[in-house]
Amino acid sequence: MAAAARMDLDGNPILPMTICMIGAGGFIGSHLCEKLMAETPHTVLAVDVYSDKIKHLLDPPSAAEGQQARHPWDGRIQFHRLNIKHDSRLEGLIKMSDLTINLAAICTPADYNTRPLDTIYSNFIDALPVVRYCSENNKRLIHFSTCEVYGKTIGSFLPKDHPLRKEPEFYVLKEDTSPCIFGSIEKQRWSYACAKQLIERLIYAEGAENGLEFTIVRPFNWIGPRMDFIPGIDGPSEGVPRVLACFSNNLLRHEPLKLVDGGQSQRTFVYIKDAIEAVLLMIENRARANGHIFNVGNPNNEVTVKQLAEIMTQVYSKVSGEAPLEMPTLDVSSKEFYGEGYDDSDKRIPDMTIINKQLGWNPKTSLWDLLESTLTYQHRTYAEAIKRSMAKPVASS
């Protein structure tokens, strides 16, 4: 019996499409590829310089001797190892596709003020050809931006005890009305946000002037297995990943969690599988997604960074069976942790009106559950490797 046709939100049949996914080998890309292979008929041209996180989708499954095993999605995902900075094959892959999704970026806060040129080039200059190829060849584009484009909230400029700081219109971030407020030029931490905002403006202008069909995604701290890297294990020893991976690294190594400037910044966190549901809705509901910018986050999972550290300590103790440290956290200055030129936003709370209206999407997973899923994966994947890396060689006599 033939499977029932899949329908979009307006009752139209969803036809198979070819998707050029740039950055398919990363955290978000790997989860999106999994979703597309498992639940849709679409084909993915996976573009990246690394394929470790999608290796399980590319390699044939093990089979009994004398038999050849195949994935159910065999032939629907092709890996193309290329760097979009200087590879002429990119335009050809975009031409072959119905939709291009650009996930490529430098998006690690420690790099923003220590590698500002690389950050600006990666997030603006290197993205220009992708936008141009899509526009010139009449191809649809889903571009991944960041919640950092909002910068600081209006409320952050009011006195700390001002009653208006508690009013939602002074801190909730709306795609169509909130201003984008950055720090001074010497605060190079804003190099990332500025580059991301400028490419958004370019995409929007291409849509207005040349008819580019686009959707812009602003992720608000997507969390889950395979995110970021654990320094010295599956990433560079000297690297500083984002906050949740930093805390995970500390927990795995039985070290205090470092709170930058007391951990008073407020953030929201959304589970990667919830967020990928939102992206699939954008992919398969072209008319509803076209021309829109979407916040994708979970305002119900709002905590200060200090509270996040406390919850992660509790969750990790449950997952690992290990007692927390007597002194689980350690305060450090932003200058000490990130270097000169660092600055931060006070709150990042997404307004969900537009995505709920256009796509009917709402996140489901609680902060505790998404942390438990992530830390279970990290403990299972990295704990033994970290123990080996920390073991000191015995001195010869």
Side-chain angles (χ1 to χ4, degrees), residues 306-366:
K306 183 177 181 179
Q307 289 169 330
L308 176 68
E310 292 166 352
I311 297 169
M312 286 184 69
T313 299
Q314 295 172 39
V315 173
Y316 188 73
S317 182
K318 177 189 174 187
V319 165
S320 66
E322 300 167 3
L325 297 176
E326 285 188 23
M327 297 284 289
T329 60
L330 174 69
D331 283 3
V332 296
S333 69
S334 55
K335 181 179 178 181
E336 178 186 352
F337 193 80
Y338 288 117
E340 291 283 356
Y342 190 76
D343 197 8
D344 207 354
S345 54
D346 54 324
K347 284 191 178 194
R348 292 206 200 112
I349 316 299
D351 180 87
M352 306 302 293
T353 305
I354 293 178
I355 194 167
N356 187 260
K357 177 185 174 185
Q358 291 299 119
L359 303 175
W361 180 82
N362 279 302
K364 303 173 186 140
T365 310
S366 69

Side-chain angles (χ1 to χ4, degrees), residues 21 44-45 76 122 127 156 203 208 231 260 319 338 358 382:
M21 191 185 304
V44 173
L45 308 180
R76 288 199 294 110
S122 171
S156 69
I203 291 167
V260 176
V319 165
Y338 288 117
Q358 291 299 119
Y382 301 120

Side-chain angles (χ1 to χ4, degrees), residues 216-376:
I216 292 170
V217 185
R218 290 178 179 168
F220 280 71
N221 297 299
W222 294 11
I223 303 301
R226 301 195 294 270
M227 67 170 295
D228 279 10
F229 61 90
I230 302 297
I233 300 299
D234 66 341
S237 299
E238 70 280 3
V240 180
R242 285 170 289 188
V243 62
L244 195 132
C246 279
F247 285 173
S248 298
N249 185 44
N250 295 144
L251 290 166
L252 288 160
R253 295 180 185 276
H254 307 102
E255 299 170 347
L257 279 60
K258 294 180 179 177
L259 299 179
V260 176
D261 296 336
Q264 295 307 305
S265 296
Q266 291 174 271
R267 298 290 184 267
T268 59
F269 297 89
V270 66
Y271 190 41
I272 183 64
K273 293 190 183 301
D274 289 350
I276 292 301
E277 290 280 359
V279 179
L280 185 59
L281 285 166
M282 296 174 207
I283 291 170
E284 296 188 332
N285 290 274
R286 182 173 187 159
R288 287 173 176 251
N290 185 40
H292 284 286
I293 301 171
F294 292 117
N295 288 340
V296 182
N298 189 340
N300 297 320
N301 287 343
E302 179 195 355
V303 286
T304 65
V305 173
K306 183 177 181 179
Q307 289 169 330
L308 176 68
E310 292 166 352
I311 297 169
M312 286 184 69
T313 299
Q314 295 172 39
V315 173
Y316 188 73
S317 182
K318 177 189 174 187
V319 165
S320 66
E322 300 167 3
L325 297 176
E326 285 188 23
M327 297 284 289
T329 60
L330 174 69
D331 283 3
V332 296
S333 69
S334 55
K335 181 179 178 181
E336 178 186 352
F337 193 80
Y338 288 117
E340 291 283 356
Y342 190 76
D343 197 8
D344 207 354
S345 54
D346 54 324
K347 284 191 178 194
R348 292 206 200 112
I349 316 299
D351 180 87
M352 306 302 293
T353 305
I354 293 178
I355 194 167
N356 187 260
K357 177 185 174 185
Q358 291 299 119
L359 303 175
W361 180 82
N362 279 302
K364 303 173 186 140
T365 310
S366 69
L367 183 60
W368 179 280
D369 287 347
L370 73 85
L371 289 175
E372 187 168 8
S373 170
T374 305
L375 289 171
T376 298

